[in-house]
Amino acid sequence: QGIFQTPDNFMSMVKNGYQPVYRPQAVTFRDIIDLHGAPAQRVLVVGPDGVPVIAVYPMQRMPDGSWLINGCYLLAYPRDEA
């Protein structure tokens, strides 16, 4: 939250850098994987251009026991997962 300073700055980054996540045509939750010792949710996202990508959301456990998203990585959709 401190990196972007305002919600508008954050949304601008999402709109410009994560278009498939910002305006998806379709979303399908996939498996939870281990990413460097922490859980990460994989999500198949079909962007507004019709191109599928895998969004990986690493999770971070907070001191109160809740989980928060700790980033997002967009990966090319592996065609063998169809």
Side-chain angles (χ1 to χ4, degrees):
Q1 292 175 346
I3 294 171
F4 299 103
Q5 299 177 0
T6 70
D8 288 337
N9 288 345
F10 176 76
M11 286 309 299
S12 177
M13 180 275 304
V14 172
K15 287 178 191 177
N16 294 321
Y18 295 85
Q19 193 63 221
V21 174
Y22 180 66
R23 291 281 188 229
Q25 288 184 19
V27 175
T28 305
F29 285 85
R30 294 291 181 101
D31 54 339
I32 295 174
I33 61 171
D34 181 277
L35 185 64
H36 308 293
Q41 174 71 58
R42 290 184 345 126
V43 182
L44 171 60
V45 180
V46 178
D49 56 3
V51 176
V53 297
I54 296 290
V56 180
Y57 294 93
M59 304 300 293
Q60 180 178 15
R61 189 175 213 77
M62 304 309 294
D64 67 1
S66 64
W67 290 91
L68 291 180
I69 295 170
N70 190 27
C72 178
Y73 305 96
L74 298 181
L75 306 174
Y77 178 68
R79 296 293 172 187
D80 59 346
E81 285 195 32

